[in-house]
């Protein structure tokens, strides 16, 4: 199977399963929002073209420009971290941001894997 066919098949499977993109609310479009967060530690290239480094304070967001700095606060414990957007995602319903492992560690969500967070754009 060619890479193009694999990509098409994956998109069709997501659509069939009912997993789609969640549209951003007005507050998210303005640069802030709340929702779920998860963390990831891949070593592949990000959507911005740089290599993912789990030790850097970076994150994935569906719409914010690459390079945007965002303050993310864990609602459970009040801990915050400032991250730089360098990837796209998350593509799981209810999640608004994916954090690098280092960022997740700073706000105390490594063990749980996910957290309820709020975020605010610091600069873009």
């Amino acid at each position: 199977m060619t890479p193009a066919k694999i990509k098409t098949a994956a998109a069709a499977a997501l659509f069939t399963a009912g997993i789609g993109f969640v549209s951003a609310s007005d507050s998210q479009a303005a640069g802030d929002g709340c929702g779920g967060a998860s963390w990831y530690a891949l070593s592949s290239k990000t959507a911005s073209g740089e290599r993912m480094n789990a030790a850097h304070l970076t994150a994935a967001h569906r719409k914010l420009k690459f390079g945007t700095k965002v303050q993310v606060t864990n609602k459970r414990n009040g801990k915050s971290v400032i991250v730089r957007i360098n990837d796209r995602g998350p593509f799981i319903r209810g999640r608004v941001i994916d954090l690098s492992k280092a960022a997740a560690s700073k706000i105390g969500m490594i063990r749980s894997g996910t957290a309820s967070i709020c975020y605010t754009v610091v600069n873009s």
Side-chain angles (χ1 to χ4, degrees):
M1 196 176 244
T2 67
K5 286 184 179 180
I6 292 170
K7 192 180 261 187
T8 303
L14 287 173
F15 181 76
T16 303
I19 301 172
F21 295 101
V22 179
S23 62
S25 69
D26 291 337
S27 66
Q28 287 175 318
D32 63 346
C34 294
S38 53
W39 66 269
Y40 67 121
L42 304 174
S43 61
S44 59
K45 281 193 174 181
T46 65
S48 67
E50 63 185 90
R51 180 132 332 259
M52 168 62 178
N53 185 331
H56 291 173
L57 298 177
T58 57
H61 189 276
R62 286 186 206 99
K63 302 212 179 240
L64 292 175
K65 292 187 324 184
F66 296 136
T68 301
K69 299 237 174 141
V70 179
Q71 181 174 1
V72 179
T73 303
N74 185 332
K75 290 169 66 175
R76 183 181 53 79
N77 61 20
K79 292 182 179 182
S80 293
V81 66
I82 294 178
V83 296
R84 179 178 52 86
I85 303 299
N86 74 337
D87 204 0
R88 291 290 171 234
F91 301 111
I92 306 282
R93 185 168 296 172
R95 293 193 191 159
V96 295
I97 201 163
D98 273 338
L99 301 173
S100 65
K101 186 174 183 179
S105 178
K106 294 266 187 197
I107 65 169
M109 61 171 273
I110 292 291
R111 187 178 193 128
S112 63
T114 61
S116 180
I117 60 96
C118 287
Y119 69 92
T120 302
V121 170
V122 176
N123 78 343
S124 55

